[in-house]
């Protein structure tokens, strides 16, 4: 079992059973857990012939760090996609793609929240650099509430080079920076767009910033100077969603 990961939480385990059942080797429920919330999960496990066992809740507490909700699964290792997958996704994309880049986001909670928001906004993929970035783990999957099993997470070796390739394919790169003159609401994001969010505090790295076609900011009226990166990501992505919906209706 040492080559397996433990994924926990009702939504994360249910999403794995729904989208990647072959990765799930066993599902564990806390003793006495058979309420309606886990019934869809149990039905999916039965359909895929995945074993379901029971164990004491305190044993689960020792397995994982976090709120497991009495549901833990033993699964094969996480899948992080490479640049070839990104090219394939773009080739198959019918409308103007929307990509999210997280430059230096190392907190797994923020990565999970960003994956969840990106999936809700209809982003094609989330791109991260291989170095100095959070990657898929149990915490990310729990926070993402199933989105980590749906939206591709693409890790690239050289982010600046990857941005150049995307620009060559006709995508416009929009970076976020507190000192930008233009607000995100003034930026046209109805076309093929790459939205870059930098790490909290540090923002985008210099080389990443140099590859941006546009820089935008969020208007800050209060006493704080910045938002949590996952919150800012949600605001920016759904501004792109709003613009795209308005253009389709117009």
């Amino acid at each position: 079992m040492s080559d397996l990961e433990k994924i926990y939480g009702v939504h994360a385990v249910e999403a794995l059973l729904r989208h990647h059942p072959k990765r799930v080797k066993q599902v564990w429920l806390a003793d006495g857990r058979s309420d309606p919330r886990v019934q869809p999960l149990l039905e999916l496990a039965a359909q895929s012939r995945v074993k379901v066992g029971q164990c004491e809740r305190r044993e689960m507490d020792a397995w994982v760090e976090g709120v497991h909700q009495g549901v833990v699964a033993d699964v094969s290792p996480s899948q992080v996609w490479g640049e070839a997958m990104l090219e394939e996704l773009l080739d198959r994309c019918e409308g103007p793609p929307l990509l999210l880049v997280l430059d230096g986001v190392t907190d797994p909670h923020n990565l999970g929240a960003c994956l969840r928001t990106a999936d809700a906004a209809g982003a094609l993929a989330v791109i991260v650099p291989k170095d100095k970035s959070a990657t898929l783990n149990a915490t990310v999957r729990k926070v993402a509430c199933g989105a980590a099993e749906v939206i591709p997470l693409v890790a690239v070796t050289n982010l600046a080079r990857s941005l150049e390739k995307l620009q060559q394919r006709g995508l416009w790169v929009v970076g976020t920076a507190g000192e930008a003159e233009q607000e995100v609401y003034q930026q046209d994001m109805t076309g093929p767009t790459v939205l870059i969010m930098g790490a909290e505090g540090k923002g985008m790295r210099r080389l990443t910033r140099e590859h941006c076609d546009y820089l935008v900011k969020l208007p800050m009226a209060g006493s704080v100077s910045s938002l949590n990166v996952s919150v800012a990501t949600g605001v920016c992505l759904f501004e792109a969603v709003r613009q795209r919906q308005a253009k389709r209706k117009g």
Side-chain angles (χ1 to χ4, degrees):
M1 301 287 282
S2 60
D3 60 334
L4 300 178
E5 296 180 347
K6 278 189 163 47
I7 303 302
Y8 59 93
V10 175
H11 292 296
V13 173
E14 183 179 335
L16 268 169
L17 286 166
R18 190 177 303 280
H19 298 286
H20 304 286
K22 292 183 179 180
R23 288 189 55 209
V24 184
K25 307 308 177 186
Q26 172 127 16
V27 173
W28 298 94
L29 297 182
D31 285 338
R33 175 100 212 229
S34 59
D35 53 280
R37 284 191 70 193
V38 299
Q39 290 309 308
L41 183 153
L42 292 175
E43 291 173 7
L44 289 169
Q47 291 171 14
S48 301
R49 298 181 180 179
V50 175
K51 294 181 180 179
V52 178
Q54 290 193 321
C55 67
E56 294 184 4
R57 187 173 287 269
R58 62 183 179 182
E59 188 174 356
M60 286 186 170
D61 293 340
W63 284 348
V64 300
E65 295 182 5
V67 182
H68 50 68
Q69 300 174 308
V71 179
V72 177
D74 292 317
V75 305
S76 57
S78 304
Q79 176 71 59
V80 177
W81 301 102
E83 294 178 61
M85 174 62 174
L86 183 58
E87 294 290 334
E88 184 179 331
L89 286 170
L90 289 167
D91 289 340
R92 296 202 312 253
C93 186
E94 295 182 357
L98 176 62
L99 295 170
L100 173 66
V101 172
L102 301 176
D103 186 24
V105 174
T106 57
D107 185 337
H109 292 87
N110 281 333
L111 175 58
C114 288
L115 286 170
R116 184 176 181 179
T117 303
D119 177 60
L124 188 64
V126 176
I127 302 170
V128 296
K130 284 185 178 178
D131 297 328
K132 296 181 181 178
S133 175
T135 189
L136 289 182
N137 61 22
T139 300
V140 172
R141 293 184 186 281
K142 174 68 165 54
V143 175
C145 289
E149 320 315 325
V150 181
I151 187 165
L153 179 65
V154 181
V156 298
T157 304
N158 187 316
L159 181 56
R161 186 175 60 203
S162 296
L163 293 174
E164 287 179 0
K165 290 181 179 178
L166 291 171
Q167 288 170 319
Q168 291 167 4
R169 291 192 62 130
L171 281 81
W172 296 96
V173 178
V174 180
T176 52
E179 68 278 12
E181 295 183 3
Q182 181 170 258
E183 294 183 1
V184 66
Y185 308 113
Q186 300 168 310
Q187 175 63 44
D188 183 359
M189 292 188 288
T190 59
T193 302
V194 181
L195 175 66
I196 304 179
M197 308 299 298
E200 288 185 54
K202 296 180 181 179
M204 293 182 293
R205 291 174 295 175
R206 178 187 59 80
L207 203 54
T208 304
R209 177 192 295 262
E210 290 176 357
H211 283 81
C212 292
D213 297 301
Y214 304 100
L215 291 177
V216 299
K217 65 180 179 181
L218 287 172
M220 302 297 295
S223 59
V224 298
S225 59
S226 65
L227 296 175
N228 172 276
V229 65
S230 64
V231 175
T233 297
V235 174
C236 294
L237 281 177
F238 275 90
E239 171 58 16
V241 171
R242 184 197 66 79
Q243 291 182 16
R244 290 167 181 232
Q245 289 181 342
K247 185 173 182 179
R248 285 196 296 269
K249 292 178 181 177

